[in-house]
mmCIF file of all heavy atoms in Angstrom:
data_model
loop_
_atom_site.group_PDB
_atom_site.id
_atom_site.type_symbol
_atom_site.label_atom_id
_atom_site.label_comp_id
_atom_site.label_asym_id
_atom_site.label_seq_id
_atom_site.Cartn_x
_atom_site.Cartn_y
_atom_site.Cartn_z
ATOM 1 N N ARG A 1304 99.025 109.553 92.499
ATOM 2 C CA ARG A 1304 98.288 108.893 93.580
ATOM 3 C C ARG A 1304 96.888 108.490 93.121
ATOM 4 O O ARG A 1304 96.411 107.385 93.415
ATOM 5 C CB ARG A 1304 98.205 109.825 94.789
ATOM 6 C CG ARG A 1304 97.523 109.179 96.001
ATOM 7 C CD ARG A 1304 96.043 109.464 96.077
ATOM 8 N NE ARG A 1304 95.381 108.619 97.075
ATOM 9 C CZ ARG A 1304 94.391 109.019 97.821
ATOM 10 N NH1 ARG A 1304 93.919 110.252 97.698
ATOM 11 N NH2 ARG A 1304 93.824 108.192 98.681
ATOM 12 N N ARG A 1305 96.210 109.382 92.406
ATOM 13 C CA ARG A 1305 94.840 109.089 91.991
ATOM 14 C C ARG A 1305 94.800 107.977 90.948
ATOM 15 O O ARG A 1305 93.884 107.145 90.959
ATOM 16 C CB ARG A 1305 94.178 110.364 91.479
ATOM 17 C CG ARG A 1305 94.013 111.394 92.587
ATOM 18 C CD ARG A 1305 93.477 112.720 92.107
ATOM 19 N NE ARG A 1305 93.462 113.693 93.203
ATOM 20 C CZ ARG A 1305 92.920 114.900 93.132
ATOM 21 N NH1 ARG A 1305 92.347 115.306 92.008
ATOM 22 N NH2 ARG A 1305 92.955 115.704 94.169
ATOM 23 N N ALA A 1306 95.798 107.929 90.092
ATOM 24 C CA ALA A 1306 95.880 106.839 89.112
ATOM 25 C C ALA A 1306 96.111 105.504 89.818
ATOM 26 O O ALA A 1306 95.501 104.484 89.463
ATOM 27 C CB ALA A 1306 96.987 107.115 88.105
ATOM 28 N N LEU A 1307 96.992 105.492 90.821
ATOM 29 C CA LEU A 1307 97.242 104.267 91.581
ATOM 30 C C LEU A 1307 95.999 103.835 92.345
ATOM 31 O O LEU A 1307 95.668 102.653 92.402
ATOM 32 C CB LEU A 1307 98.405 104.476 92.553
ATOM 33 C CG LEU A 1307 99.784 104.753 91.948
ATOM 34 C CD1 LEU A 1307 100.791 105.039 93.057
ATOM 35 C CD2 LEU A 1307 100.252 103.583 91.088
ATOM 36 N N HIS A 1308 95.311 104.811 92.927
ATOM 37 C CA HIS A 1308 94.127 104.474 93.720
ATOM 38 C C HIS A 1308 93.016 103.892 92.844
ATOM 39 O O HIS A 1308 92.300 102.972 93.257
ATOM 40 C CB HIS A 1308 93.612 105.712 94.461
ATOM 41 C CG HIS A 1308 92.564 105.398 95.474
ATOM 42 N ND1 HIS A 1308 92.851 105.128 96.792
ATOM 43 C CD2 HIS A 1308 91.215 105.259 95.352
ATOM 44 C CE1 HIS A 1308 91.736 104.856 97.447
ATOM 45 N NE2 HIS A 1308 90.719 104.927 96.590
ATOM 46 N N ALA A 1309 92.882 104.424 91.647
ATOM 47 C CA ALA A 1309 91.813 103.982 90.751
ATOM 48 C C ALA A 1309 92.091 102.617 90.137
ATOM 49 O O ALA A 1309 91.164 101.959 89.645
ATOM 50 C CB ALA A 1309 91.596 105.010 89.653
ATOM 51 N N ASP A 1310 93.333 102.180 90.161
ATOM 52 C CA ASP A 1310 93.710 100.922 89.504
ATOM 53 C C ASP A 1310 94.517 100.055 90.468
ATOM 54 O O ASP A 1310 95.683 99.743 90.220
ATOM 55 C CB ASP A 1310 94.512 101.224 88.238
ATOM 56 C CG ASP A 1310 94.756 99.994 87.385
ATOM 57 O OD1 ASP A 1310 94.051 98.975 87.580
ATOM 58 O OD2 ASP A 1310 95.647 100.043 86.516
ATOM 59 N N PRO A 1311 93.923 99.639 91.589
ATOM 60 C CA PRO A 1311 94.660 98.862 92.598
ATOM 61 C C PRO A 1311 94.883 97.427 92.141
ATOM 62 O O PRO A 1311 94.070 96.852 91.405
ATOM 63 C CB PRO A 1311 93.737 98.909 93.810
ATOM 64 C CG PRO A 1311 92.361 98.991 93.206
ATOM 65 C CD PRO A 1311 92.519 99.838 91.972
ATOM 66 N N GLU A 1312 95.997 96.848 92.622
ATOM 67 C CA GLU A 1312 96.331 95.464 92.282
ATOM 68 C C GLU A 1312 96.794 94.733 93.533
ATOM 69 O O GLU A 1312 97.449 95.307 94.399
ATOM 70 C CB GLU A 1312 97.429 95.436 91.210
ATOM 71 C CG GLU A 1312 96.993 96.064 89.887
ATOM 72 C CD GLU A 1312 98.149 96.201 88.918
ATOM 73 O OE1 GLU A 1312 99.043 97.040 89.173
ATOM 74 O OE2 GLU A 1312 98.150 95.477 87.907
ATOM 75 N N ALA A 1366 97.453 96.382 97.063
ATOM 76 C CA ALA A 1366 96.122 96.711 97.570
ATOM 77 C C ALA A 1366 95.517 95.516 98.293
ATOM 78 O O ALA A 1366 96.171 94.481 98.472
ATOM 79 C CB ALA A 1366 95.228 97.157 96.414
ATOM 80 N N LEU A 1367 94.260 95.658 98.698
ATOM 81 C CA LEU A 1367 93.559 94.644 99.473
ATOM 82 C C LEU A 1367 92.305 94.145 98.736
ATOM 83 O O LEU A 1367 91.714 94.890 97.940
ATOM 84 C CB LEU A 1367 93.132 95.225 100.825
ATOM 85 C CG LEU A 1367 94.240 95.383 101.862
ATOM 86 C CD1 LEU A 1367 93.823 96.406 102.913
ATOM 87 C CD2 LEU A 1367 94.549 94.048 102.518
ATOM 88 N N PRO A 1368 91.862 92.920 99.026
ATOM 89 C CA PRO A 1368 90.635 92.404 98.408
ATOM 90 C C PRO A 1368 89.390 92.922 99.111
ATOM 91 O O PRO A 1368 88.684 92.197 99.821
ATOM 92 C CB PRO A 1368 90.796 90.883 98.561
ATOM 93 C CG PRO A 1368 91.627 90.716 99.788
ATOM 94 C CD PRO A 1368 92.571 91.890 99.810
ATOM 95 N N ILE A 1369 89.106 94.210 98.920
ATOM 96 C CA ILE A 1369 87.986 94.903 99.561
ATOM 97 C C ILE A 1369 87.250 95.704 98.489
ATOM 98 O O ILE A 1369 87.897 96.337 97.633
ATOM 99 C CB ILE A 1369 88.488 95.836 100.684
ATOM 100 C CG1 ILE A 1369 89.107 95.017 101.829
ATOM 101 C CG2 ILE A 1369 87.375 96.732 101.212
ATOM 102 C CD1 ILE A 1369 89.758 95.864 102.912
ATOM 103 N N GLN A 1370 85.928 95.734 98.553
ATOM 104 C CA GLN A 1370 85.136 96.548 97.636
ATOM 105 C C GLN A 1370 85.075 97.979 98.174
ATOM 106 O O GLN A 1370 84.598 98.211 99.286
ATOM 107 C CB GLN A 1370 83.722 95.982 97.498
ATOM 108 C CG GLN A 1370 82.828 96.746 96.541
ATOM 109 C CD GLN A 1370 83.324 96.696 95.102
ATOM 110 O OE1 GLN A 1370 83.757 95.643 94.631
ATOM 111 N NE2 GLN A 1370 83.264 97.822 94.409
ATOM 112 N N GLU A 1371 85.536 98.930 97.402
ATOM 113 C CA GLU A 1371 85.619 100.316 97.876
ATOM 114 C C GLU A 1371 84.244 100.949 98.015
ATOM 115 O O GLU A 1371 83.354 100.748 97.185
ATOM 116 C CB GLU A 1371 86.482 101.154 96.924
ATOM 117 C CG GLU A 1371 86.654 102.588 97.398
ATOM 118 C CD GLU A 1371 87.811 103.323 96.733
ATOM 119 O OE1 GLU A 1371 88.539 102.692 95.942
ATOM 120 O OE2 GLU A 1371 87.978 104.516 97.018
ATOM 121 N N ALA A 1372 84.098 101.769 99.085
ATOM 122 C CA ALA A 1372 82.839 102.470 99.336
ATOM 123 C C ALA A 1372 83.098 103.912 99.758
ATOM 124 O O ALA A 1372 82.346 104.482 100.537
ATOM 125 C CB ALA A 1372 82.039 101.747 100.410
ATOM 126 N N THR A 1373 84.194 104.520 99.252
ATOM 127 C CA THR A 1373 84.531 105.893 99.644
ATOM 128 C C THR A 1373 83.723 106.935 98.883
ATOM 129 O O THR A 1373 83.547 108.055 99.365
ATOM 130 C CB THR A 1373 86.023 106.182 99.405
ATOM 131 O OG1 THR A 1373 86.299 106.068 98.001
ATOM 132 C CG2 THR A 1373 86.895 105.209 100.185
ATOM 133 N N GLY A 1374 83.301 106.611 97.668
ATOM 134 C CA GLY A 1374 82.645 107.605 96.835
ATOM 135 C C GLY A 1374 83.584 108.611 96.206
ATOM 136 O O GLY A 1374 83.143 109.608 95.623
ATOM 137 N N LEU A 1375 84.887 108.382 96.287
ATOM 138 C CA LEU A 1375 85.852 109.293 95.674
ATOM 139 C C LEU A 1375 85.689 109.309 94.154
ATOM 140 O O LEU A 1375 85.356 108.280 93.549
ATOM 141 C CB LEU A 1375 87.274 108.855 96.019
ATOM 142 C CG LEU A 1375 87.728 109.011 97.466
ATOM 143 C CD1 LEU A 1375 89.060 108.296 97.689
ATOM 144 C CD2 LEU A 1375 87.861 110.494 97.819
ATOM 145 N N PRO A 1376 85.939 110.438 93.519
ATOM 146 C CA PRO A 1376 85.850 110.469 92.044
ATOM 147 C C PRO A 1376 86.888 109.588 91.371
ATOM 148 O O PRO A 1376 86.731 109.240 90.204
ATOM 149 C CB PRO A 1376 86.071 111.952 91.712
ATOM 150 C CG PRO A 1376 86.727 112.539 92.913
ATOM 151 C CD PRO A 1376 86.239 111.763 94.089
ATOM 152 N N PHE A 1377 87.939 109.217 92.109
ATOM 153 C CA PHE A 1377 88.957 108.318 91.564
ATOM 154 C C PHE A 1377 88.936 106.981 92.305
ATOM 155 O O PHE A 1377 89.957 106.342 92.500
ATOM 156 C CB PHE A 1377 90.349 108.959 91.615
ATOM 157 C CG PHE A 1377 90.701 109.584 92.948
ATOM 158 C CD1 PHE A 1377 91.343 108.845 93.943
ATOM 159 C CD2 PHE A 1377 90.389 110.912 93.214
ATOM 160 C CE1 PHE A 1377 91.653 109.407 95.166
ATOM 161 C CE2 PHE A 1377 90.709 111.485 94.440
ATOM 162 C CZ PHE A 1377 91.341 110.730 95.412
ATOM 163 N N SER A 1378 87.742 106.549 92.708
ATOM 164 C CA SER A 1378 87.585 105.257 93.377
ATOM 165 C C SER A 1378 88.085 104.121 92.494
ATOM 166 O O SER A 1378 88.166 104.242 91.269
ATOM 167 C CB SER A 1378 86.110 105.010 93.718
ATOM 168 O OG SER A 1378 85.684 105.848 94.753
ATOM 169 N N SER A 1379 88.350 102.997 93.129
ATOM 170 C CA SER A 1379 88.803 101.806 92.413
ATOM 171 C C SER A 1379 87.813 101.417 91.319
ATOM 172 O O SER A 1379 86.613 101.337 91.546
ATOM 173 C CB SER A 1379 88.966 100.642 93.388
ATOM 174 O OG SER A 1379 89.173 99.430 92.687
ATOM 175 N N ARG A 1380 88.359 101.165 90.151
ATOM 176 C CA ARG A 1380 87.535 100.655 89.058
ATOM 177 C C ARG A 1380 87.673 99.140 88.908
ATOM 178 O O ARG A 1380 87.136 98.555 87.968
ATOM 179 C CB ARG A 1380 87.897 101.346 87.744
ATOM 180 C CG ARG A 1380 89.326 101.179 87.294
ATOM 181 C CD ARG A 1380 89.526 101.826 85.918
ATOM 182 N NE ARG A 1380 90.888 101.671 85.443
ATOM 183 C CZ ARG A 1380 91.839 102.582 85.569
ATOM 184 N NH1 ARG A 1380 91.556 103.737 86.178
ATOM 185 N NH2 ARG A 1380 93.055 102.373 85.100
ATOM 186 N N ASN A 1381 88.398 98.519 89.853
ATOM 187 C CA ASN A 1381 88.609 97.073 89.827
ATOM 188 C C ASN A 1381 87.739 96.439 90.907
ATOM 189 O O ASN A 1381 88.000 96.609 92.098
ATOM 190 C CB ASN A 1381 90.082 96.739 90.065
ATOM 191 C CG ASN A 1381 90.987 97.400 89.037
ATOM 192 O OD1 ASN A 1381 90.561 97.672 87.921
ATOM 193 N ND2 ASN A 1381 92.230 97.661 89.411
ATOM 194 N N PRO A 1382 86.699 95.714 90.522
ATOM 195 C CA PRO A 1382 85.762 95.167 91.508
ATOM 196 C C PRO A 1382 86.463 94.309 92.568
ATOM 197 O O PRO A 1382 87.280 93.447 92.247
ATOM 198 C CB PRO A 1382 84.813 94.316 90.653
ATOM 199 C CG PRO A 1382 84.882 94.915 89.288
ATOM 200 C CD PRO A 1382 86.306 95.375 89.134
ATOM 201 N N GLY A 1383 86.141 94.599 93.819
ATOM 202 C CA GLY A 1383 86.656 93.799 94.916
ATOM 203 C C GLY A 1383 88.099 94.047 95.281
ATOM 204 O O GLY A 1383 88.661 93.300 96.094
ATOM 205 N N VAL A 1384 88.711 95.081 94.734
ATOM 206 C CA VAL A 1384 90.103 95.408 95.052
ATOM 207 C C VAL A 1384 90.179 96.897 95.375
ATOM 208 O O VAL A 1384 89.622 97.729 94.648
ATOM 209 C CB VAL A 1384 91.057 95.065 93.893
ATOM 210 C CG1 VAL A 1384 92.515 95.323 94.307
ATOM 211 C CG2 VAL A 1384 90.871 93.622 93.446
ATOM 212 N N MET A 1385 90.889 97.232 96.446
ATOM 213 C CA MET A 1385 90.920 98.621 96.911
ATOM 214 C C MET A 1385 92.209 98.926 97.645
ATOM 215 O O MET A 1385 92.754 98.071 98.348
ATOM 216 C CB MET A 1385 89.733 98.859 97.858
ATOM 217 C CG MET A 1385 89.698 100.241 98.499
ATOM 218 S SD MET A 1385 88.550 100.324 99.888
ATOM 219 C CE MET A 1385 88.916 101.976 100.498
ATOM 220 N N HIS A 1386 92.672 100.152 97.519
ATOM 221 C CA HIS A 1386 93.762 100.646 98.366
ATOM 222 C C HIS A 1386 93.155 101.102 99.691
ATOM 223 O O HIS A 1386 92.929 102.293 99.923
ATOM 224 C CB HIS A 1386 94.520 101.777 97.682
ATOM 225 C CG HIS A 1386 95.621 101.296 96.800
ATOM 226 N ND1 HIS A 1386 96.702 100.600 97.281
ATOM 227 C CD2 HIS A 1386 95.792 101.390 95.463
ATOM 228 C CE1 HIS A 1386 97.513 100.288 96.285
ATOM 229 N NE2 HIS A 1386 96.985 100.744 95.175
ATOM 230 N N ALA A 1387 92.897 100.139 100.570
ATOM 231 C CA ALA A 1387 92.246 100.412 101.850
ATOM 232 C C ALA A 1387 93.240 100.567 102.982
ATOM 233 O O ALA A 1387 92.845 100.679 104.139
ATOM 234 C CB ALA A 1387 91.269 99.287 102.176
ATOM 235 N N CYS A 1388 94.545 100.557 102.667
ATOM 236 C CA CYS A 1388 95.560 100.704 103.711
ATOM 237 C C CYS A 1388 96.559 101.813 103.369
ATOM 238 O O CYS A 1388 97.601 101.925 104.006
ATOM 239 C CB CYS A 1388 96.283 99.367 103.923
ATOM 240 S SG CYS A 1388 97.049 99.215 105.547
ATOM 241 N N GLY A 1389 96.255 102.594 102.340
ATOM 242 C CA GLY A 1389 97.091 103.756 102.042
ATOM 243 C C GLY A 1389 98.335 103.500 101.243
ATOM 244 O O GLY A 1389 99.183 104.390 101.118
ATOM 245 N N ASP A 1391 98.731 103.337 98.117
ATOM 246 C CA ASP A 1391 98.807 104.277 96.994
ATOM 247 C C ASP A 1391 99.488 105.571 97.425
ATOM 248 O O ASP A 1391 100.283 106.154 96.667
ATOM 249 C CB ASP A 1391 97.413 104.561 96.437
ATOM 250 C CG ASP A 1391 96.414 105.006 97.516
ATOM 251 O OD1 ASP A 1391 96.530 104.574 98.684
ATOM 252 O OD2 ASP A 1391 95.496 105.783 97.187
ATOM 253 N N HIS A 1645 91.934 99.268 106.365
ATOM 254 C CA HIS A 1645 91.276 98.016 105.978
ATOM 255 C C HIS A 1645 89.754 98.153 106.017
ATOM 256 O O HIS A 1645 89.035 97.152 106.052
ATOM 257 C CB HIS A 1645 91.746 96.834 106.823
ATOM 258 C CG HIS A 1645 93.167 96.448 106.567
ATOM 259 N ND1 HIS A 1645 93.603 95.141 106.574
ATOM 260 C CD2 HIS A 1645 94.274 97.186 106.285
ATOM 261 C CE1 HIS A 1645 94.896 95.097 106.313
ATOM 262 N NE2 HIS A 1645 95.326 96.338 106.141
ATOM 263 N N SER A 1646 89.271 99.369 105.997
ATOM 264 C CA SER A 1646 87.842 99.634 105.902
ATOM 265 C C SER A 1646 87.508 100.002 104.462
ATOM 266 O O SER A 1646 88.314 100.652 103.779
ATOM 267 C CB SER A 1646 87.469 100.802 106.822
ATOM 268 O OG SER A 1646 86.258 101.418 106.410
ATOM 269 N N PRO A 1647 86.323 99.630 103.963
ATOM 270 C CA PRO A 1647 85.957 100.029 102.594
ATOM 271 C C PRO A 1647 85.776 101.528 102.434
ATOM 272 O O PRO A 1647 85.701 102.020 101.307
ATOM 273 C CB PRO A 1647 84.632 99.283 102.350
ATOM 274 C CG PRO A 1647 84.105 98.951 103.691
ATOM 275 C CD PRO A 1647 85.299 98.760 104.580
ATOM 276 N N ARG A 1648 85.767 102.268 103.547
ATOM 277 C CA ARG A 1648 85.627 103.724 103.493
ATOM 278 C C ARG A 1648 86.931 104.455 103.830
ATOM 279 O O ARG A 1648 86.938 105.671 103.992
ATOM 280 C CB ARG A 1648 84.504 104.178 104.435
ATOM 281 C CG ARG A 1648 83.135 103.732 103.961
ATOM 282 C CD ARG A 1648 82.031 104.047 104.948
ATOM 283 N NE ARG A 1648 80.731 103.670 104.396
ATOM 284 C CZ ARG A 1648 80.260 102.435 104.353
ATOM 285 N NH1 ARG A 1648 80.982 101.439 104.871
ATOM 286 N NH2 ARG A 1648 79.086 102.167 103.831
ATOM 287 N N PHE A 1649 88.017 103.699 103.908
ATOM 288 C CA PHE A 1649 89.288 104.342 104.270
ATOM 289 C C PHE A 1649 89.820 105.190 103.123
ATOM 290 O O PHE A 1649 89.847 104.766 101.966
ATOM 291 C CB PHE A 1649 90.340 103.298 104.632
ATOM 292 C CG PHE A 1649 91.670 103.908 104.998
ATOM 293 C CD1 PHE A 1649 91.893 104.375 106.276
ATOM 294 C CD2 PHE A 1649 92.679 104.042 104.052
ATOM 295 C CE1 PHE A 1649 93.103 104.962 106.622
ATOM 296 C CE2 PHE A 1649 93.887 104.622 104.388
ATOM 297 C CZ PHE A 1649 94.099 105.082 105.677
ATOM 298 N N GLN A 1650 90.258 106.384 103.460
ATOM 299 C CA GLN A 1650 90.995 107.219 102.521
ATOM 300 C C GLN A 1650 91.924 108.125 103.325
ATOM 301 O O GLN A 1650 91.605 108.522 104.438
ATOM 302 C CB GLN A 1650 90.057 108.063 101.652
ATOM 303 C CG GLN A 1650 89.117 108.958 102.444
ATOM 304 C CD GLN A 1650 88.324 109.884 101.549
ATOM 305 O OE1 GLN A 1650 88.887 110.624 100.739
ATOM 306 N NE2 GLN A 1650 87.005 109.841 101.665
ATOM 307 N N ALA A 1651 93.073 108.410 102.748
ATOM 308 C CA ALA A 1651 94.057 109.277 103.402
ATOM 309 C C ALA A 1651 93.978 110.675 102.809
ATOM 310 O O ALA A 1651 93.829 110.835 101.586
ATOM 311 C CB ALA A 1651 95.457 108.711 103.203
#
Side-chain angles (χ1 to χ4, degrees):
R1304 184 266 168 144
R1305 295 175 185 187
L1307 296 176
H1308 190 91
D1310 189 17
E1312 297 172 290
L1367 284 159
I1369 294 174
Q1370 181 64 42
E1371 182 163 356
T1373 63
L1375 291 169
F1377 48 90
S1378 289
S1379 170
R1380 60 176 181 263
N1381 302 333
V1384 184
M1385 176 194 173
H1386 273 297
C1388 203
D1391 53 329
H1645 291 217
S1646 158
R1648 292 174 176 78
F1649 179 83
Q1650 57 174 306

